[in-house]
Amino acid sequence: MSKKSMFTKIAATLGATALAGVTLTACGDSSGGGEGLLASIEGGTVTIGTKFDQPGLGLRNPDNSMSGLDVDVAEYVVNSIADDQGWEHPTIEWRESPSAQRETLIQNGEVDMIAATYSINAGRSESVNFGGPYLLTHQALLVRQDDDRIQTLEDLADGLILCSVTGSTPAQKVKDVLPGVQLQEYDTYSSCVEALNQGNVDAMTTDATILFGYSQQYEGEFRVVEMEKDGAPFTNEYYGIGLKKDDTEATDAINAALERMYADGSFQRLLTENLGEDSVVVEEGTPGDLSFLDAS
């Protein structure tokens, strides 16, 4: 299959994904989980928010099934809590949760919890509780496999074009340290990936987890370049599971489930299955330890 044909096929799949997300959102408005996470698990139906358009993390497939690391972690957590309480595994209803809507969905009781590349920060922690973090990732670059010009962040200073999503924090962080970088912004990560594949940009940047997902989807086409500043990772992004503010009991239950997920080897297995062997740069989190917020 030619690259043009491949991306035409992928675009059609993502279009169907977006349509499916709209349908589920419409249904979710009337069935969201306003009773709290534990009550919903006990009641037999849980509404979980995630992304629908991020390969390897949260993706709604053409057959309406869900796949990705965030999806698998969320399912593990919910079923583990049910096992601890002696309840049946609940039915899971998935709700598309774009980044800008996550706090609102939780506060309105439209979802019971959200696992959607949800970085824990001080501002968000004022509005919702976080279980986790369940992983630590860093900002990185995605480049074409056959392009050896980019091996470090500083290589972007040589007149190369960097792509990211319009208004994104990762793009701004690069511009802060490399003011001369040429920045090309698109509305979606998938548009950046297509532009990168076609040679219209030289690299794209966001969390390494997201980039590993695309690298895994387009096997052999891209590679992930780690970014450092003064010998340390360029950024630290701690992914958590968002839920209703001050629901301490459910937060503790999530953290206990995450600890079990590490102990029985499930996390490393799910990480490799979804993001590939090279994703070892993505680290386990320390559930319940939010001390990093004090330094932010």
Side-chain angles (χ1 to χ4, degrees):
M1 180 183 292
S2 68
K3 289 184 179 179
K4 181 176 181 181
S5 297
M6 177 182 69
F7 278 98
T8 299
K9 181 178 179 181
I10 294 299
T13 298
L14 291 176
T17 295
L19 180 59
V22 170
T23 302
L24 186 61
T25 298
C27 296
D29 289 338
S30 61
S31 63
E35 300 299 320
L37 177 60
L38 298 184
S40 293
I41 295 175
E42 184 179 15
T45 302
V46 178
T47 303
I48 301 177
T50 194
K51 299 292 182 66
F52 278 18
D53 61 352
Q54 289 187 341
L57 291 160
L59 185 67
R60 190 165 179 86
N61 303 306
D63 64 358
N64 288 333
S65 64
M66 298 295 299
S67 63
L69 180 62
D70 285 343
V71 169
D72 289 342
V73 167
E75 287 183 334
Y76 183 101
V77 165
V78 165
N79 290 333
S80 179
I81 292 173
D83 290 340
D84 278 347
Q85 298 294 332
W87 302 330
E88 295 291 328
H89 289 184
T91 298
I92 295 176
E93 296 179 350
W94 297 100
R95 172 70 185 262
E96 186 170 25
S97 301
S99 295
Q101 299 178 20
R102 290 177 297 203
E103 288 79 45
T104 300
L105 290 170
I106 293 170
Q107 291 172 327
N108 290 348
E110 296 176 59
V111 296
D112 294 302
M113 66 183 226
I114 290 180
T117 62
Y118 206 174
S119 293
I120 304 172
N121 62 37
R124 291 168 180 165
S125 295
E126 293 179 359
S127 303
V128 301
N129 266 29
F130 280 104
Y134 60 89
L135 66 78
L136 169 61
T137 187
H138 314 285
Q139 188 175 337
L141 300 171
L142 188 71
V143 302
R144 291 182 295 278
Q145 181 68 49
D146 58 359
D147 187 348
D148 60 3
R149 297 173 299 168
I150 303 173
Q151 303 296 331
T152 67
L153 171 63
E154 289 72 21
D155 292 331
L156 291 173
D158 297 332
L160 302 183
I161 302 174
L162 175 68
C163 185
S164 196
V165 171
T166 303
S168 71
T169 300
Q172 186 56 52
K173 287 180 178 177
V174 172
K175 283 190 68 68
D176 288 345
V177 297
L178 297 175
V181 69
Q182 296 186 53
L183 184 62
Q184 175 67 58
E185 295 179 297
Y186 288 92
D187 289 338
T188 64
Y189 290 121
S190 56
S191 296
C192 267
V193 172
E194 183 169 358
L196 178 61
N197 189 75
Q198 294 177 346
N200 295 328
V201 300
D202 300 298
M204 70 175 284
T205 187
T206 188
D207 296 351
T209 46
I210 296 172
L211 300 181
F212 278 120
Y214 282 114
S215 179
Q216 186 80 345
Q217 184 180 40
Y218 304 111
E219 189 173 359
E221 295 288 335
F222 305 114
R223 59 185 174 88
V224 176
V225 176
E226 296 180 51
M227 295 167 55
E228 292 187 346
K229 181 182 179 182
D230 300 326
F234 191 67
T235 63
N236 288 325
E237 303 293 339
Y238 297 87
Y239 285 8
I241 295 175
L243 70 159
K244 185 186 297 183
K245 183 66 177 174
D246 296 328
D247 190 345
T248 303
E249 186 179 6
T251 303
D252 291 344
I254 289 173
N255 288 337
L258 292 174
E259 292 285 4
R260 184 177 296 109
M261 183 179 66
Y262 301 141
D264 67 16
S266 292
F267 180 76
Q268 287 300 324
R269 174 179 58 80
L270 295 173
L271 180 65
T272 301
E273 287 177 358
N274 286 291
L275 300 182
E277 295 284 351
D278 293 337
S279 62
V280 290
V281 67
V282 179
E283 305 169 40
E284 295 181 0
T286 304
D289 181 2
L290 303 184
S291 59
F292 57 88
L293 292 177
D294 297 333
S296 62

